[in-house]
Amino acid sequence: MVEGSMTQGAGQGPEVERTATLRDFRVPAYVNETGPYAHGAHPAETVRPAEEAYPDAYTPTERDLPVINRGDTVQVTVDPASVPAPQPANGPGPLYVVGDVHGYLDQLVQALQEKGLIDSAGRWCAGTARLWFLGDFTDRGPDGIGVIDLVMRLSAEAAAAGGYCKALMGNHELLLLGAKRFGDTPVNSGAGTATFQAAWLLNGGQKSDMDRLEDHHLQWMARLDAVEEVDGFLLVHSDTTAYLDYGDSIEAVNDTIRETLTRNDADEVWDLFRKFTKRFSFRDEGGADAVRSLLDTYGGTRIVHGHSPIPYLLGEVGSEDGEEAAGPVVEGPHVYADGLAIAMDGGVTMAGKLLVQRLPLDA
């Protein structure tokens, strides 16, 4: 496994048509944006650990993680007797986080219902609960736009019930935005000519998602925050220290990334995407120090991330030949880096598990 390798690649096979799901989620007309949220800024003077070692020719168009073909989406039966998430007598509701979804809408619906966050009709039923998605809604799976539609709708429903449903920006949101905005425009990749379109296809871009991508989806993705701190948990998408390049507070990072996207410069957006495809900063020797550098700067006592599938973090990689009888076994989040990091990407794209987890872990 190459240290700091990019998003796990997925060769572009036959086009994946939109798969029929148990329900068809639509965004109501009144959902235009999620609105600004208060940022808990925690500036601090820290010594940043040595940057991960990347080859000079590093570029996200290189596939160096194994490709594991999951096949089509799995239809699930929704249990109408799900129990709503527990509600506190007072104060904020329970906190939940969701790992990478990558277009697997049915698995997301099932996981949210198992936690009592949505009912049998796919509607928010968790009252004052707080739900955070850690990014990567599209690509590889069959219905990324359906996933975004669901998250946007739940955001409105949760807010009306006194809770919230919010989302962070993943590298695949940056990739989809870039593919839509810049297409085949050449960018300076540091290793020759690259394009967002080529990188999107290489990393599991689905024609069905691009065909259904509308302006309100693009606006929603472009406004997503990259970092948040909630109840002592620092929430990010990628297991990288690259966030430190964009500011010394949560507010500064989020503002810098939004400003970069607003300027709409292909090379700038590519550099942003490239940095957020980096991974494994917390895994090996020095990983705990890398986590501490982020916690010391932005606040929190533990970091929660997606991006790198737990089987890869554990070295349990699969075969491209499909010879293994079963996929990786993922029972829940992976805690590592001296207990400071919680990984939430259960590897749904490789027949793992789409994780929805209440925090703290012992709640």
Side-chain angles (χ1 to χ4, degrees), residues 33-311:
E33 59 182 277
T34 55
Y37 306 115
H39 306 281
H42 300 275
E45 294 297 327
T46 63
V47 177
R48 183 175 177 180
E51 185 64 35
E52 309 98 300
Y54 293 98
D56 293 338
Y58 170 77
T59 171
T61 58
E62 294 178 356
R63 272 187 310 175
D64 53 8
L65 286 180
V67 178
I68 303 174
N69 295 322
R70 180 189 178 92
D72 203 356
T73 185
V74 177
Q75 299 296 323
V76 298
T77 301
V78 174
D79 179 7
S82 59
V83 179
Q87 300 295 303
N90 49 58
L95 174 65
Y96 294 83
V97 289
V98 184
D100 298 35
V101 182
H102 282 300
Y104 285 96
L105 177 60
D106 288 335
Q107 285 81 355
L108 174 60
V109 168
Q110 181 183 37
L112 291 174
Q113 192 180 42
E114 288 174 351
K115 295 296 184 180
L117 296 166
I118 62 175
D119 62 20
S120 60
R123 301 288 175 178
W124 182 264
C125 68
T128 60
R130 298 165 295 159
L131 178 63
W132 275 98
F133 285 81
L134 299 179
D136 277 9
F137 303 101
T138 67
D139 302 337
R140 304 203 177 99
D143 198 359
I145 298 302
V147 170
I148 292 176
D149 284 343
L150 172 61
V151 176
M152 292 177 71
R153 179 170 60 73
L154 290 180
S155 296
E157 293 175 0
Y164 66 67
C165 171
K166 302 181 183 181
L168 294 181
M169 179 175 291
N171 59 304
H172 279 263
E173 282 68 68
L174 291 168
L175 182 56
L176 183 57
L177 283 167
K180 181 66 174 180
R181 290 182 179 183
F182 307 117
D184 289 323
T185 300
V187 294
N188 180 16
S189 72
T193 301
T195 70
F196 272 104
Q197 179 74 7
W200 177 69
L201 291 172
L202 182 67
N203 286 284
Q206 303 295 316
K207 183 178 183 297
S208 58
D209 282 343
M210 187 65 78
D211 289 344
R212 294 185 293 135
L213 187 62
E214 299 181 17
D215 285 345
H216 67 272
H217 299 128
L218 294 167
Q219 292 167 8
W220 180 80
M221 287 190 291
R223 293 169 181 163
L224 294 175
D225 286 336
V227 188
E228 282 291 353
E229 187 271 325
V230 185
D231 293 358
F233 295 98
L234 185 65
L235 309 180
V236 298
H237 173 70
S238 302
D239 46 326
T240 178
T241 57
Y243 295 92
L244 296 168
D245 293 343
Y246 294 92
D248 61 1
S249 72
I250 290 174
E251 184 175 13
V253 172
N254 293 331
D255 287 348
T256 299
I257 290 175
R258 267 193 290 269
E259 290 165 4
T260 299
L261 292 174
T262 299
R263 284 193 294 272
N264 210 36
D265 178 271
D267 286 327
E268 274 194 296
V269 177
W270 177 268
D271 190 59
L272 182 63
F273 162 66
R274 178 185 65 83
K275 288 181 178 178
F276 287 105
T277 62
K278 296 178 180 180
R279 62 173 83 239
F280 301 144
S281 295
F282 316 147
R283 187 185 64 177
D284 300 318
E285 184 177 358
D289 289 336
V291 175
R292 290 187 185 97
S293 72
L294 292 167
L295 297 176
D296 290 346
T297 302
Y298 304 127
T301 57
R302 291 178 114 179
I303 196 164
V304 184
H305 70 86
H307 189 47
S308 291
I310 291 171

Side-chain angles (χ1 to χ4, degrees), residues 314-334:
L314 296 174
E316 298 170 355
V317 296
S319 168
E320 291 187 79
D321 301 323
E323 296 174 352
E324 294 183 324
V329 177
V330 176
E331 299 296 339
H334 172 52

